[in-house]
Amino acid sequence: MANAASGMAVHDECKLKFLELKAKRTFRYIIFKIEEKQKEVIVEKVGEPTQSHEDFAASLPAAECRYAVFDYDFVTAENCQKSRIFFIAWSPDTAKVRNKMIYASSKDRFKRELDGIQVELQATDPTEMDLDVFKSRAN
């Protein structure tokens, strides 16, 4: 269950919410947090389908790491409606070193639990995951 390298388990709710986002598009985004005392990744917040990229960015803490998944809708040059599921590893420069290390060492295992991620972003400040970055990485 827990990863030997980081010791973090993944709560079932993480996988269930991700499947809802992927299959039913129930959420715009999901923010995941590592609960250090329980040594597991949990769902911290979900965003309604009507919420925007700005709402998502505002939901990430300024000085703590998080994992997030964002369902990004866009229109191609051929005028086709498409969507991409982004995995964001949020690791702000202002976060504590221990916090960054725990998230970095658990990321790959956690990401493997979420089957269907199409694009991965590593962000240390809001400019590294603004809408222009999503647009350029989506195609």
Side-chain angles (χ1 to χ4, degrees), residues 70-130:
F70 187 86
D71 186 8
Y72 176 64
D73 294 324
F74 62 102
V75 178
T76 66
E78 297 80 36
N79 210 26
C80 293
Q81 186 72 38
K82 288 202 167 180
S83 114
R84 290 274 183 270
I85 297 175
F86 278 75
F87 177 85
I88 298 100
W90 173 245
S91 182
D93 291 331
T94 52
K96 292 187 170 117
V97 173
R98 175 177 163 70
N99 192 241
K100 290 183 195 180
M101 286 174 58
I102 290 169
Y103 275 81
S105 65
S106 306
K107 182 183 81 169
D108 288 337
R109 178 181 186 276
F110 178 62
K111 209 174 82 178
R112 277 197 302 273
E113 297 282 343
L114 307 179
D115 186 37
I117 289 169
Q118 294 156 314
V119 184
E120 181 183 341
L121 287 180
Q122 176 79 39
T124 58
D125 71 69
T127 62
E128 293 178 1
M129 56 164 210
D130 65 15

Side-chain angles (χ1 to χ4, degrees), residues 27-85:
F27 311 112
R28 172 66 55 206
Y29 62 85
I30 308 169
I31 296 175
F32 303 97
K33 173 184 183 178
I34 291 179
E35 196 59 66
E36 283 192 55
K37 286 184 176 55
Q38 284 91 354
K39 292 198 177 328
E40 73 176 347
V41 183
I42 60 166
V43 172
E44 182 178 55
K45 182 178 182 175
V46 294
E48 297 305 314
T50 54
Q51 290 191 293
S52 68
H53 179 270
E54 289 79 33
D55 299 321
F56 164 68
S59 298
L60 292 168
E64 285 181 46
C65 299
R66 291 292 185 272
Y67 301 129
V69 173
F70 187 86
D71 186 8
Y72 176 64
D73 294 324
F74 62 102
V75 178
T76 66
E78 297 80 36
N79 210 26
C80 293
Q81 186 72 38
K82 288 202 167 180
S83 114
R84 290 274 183 270
I85 297 175

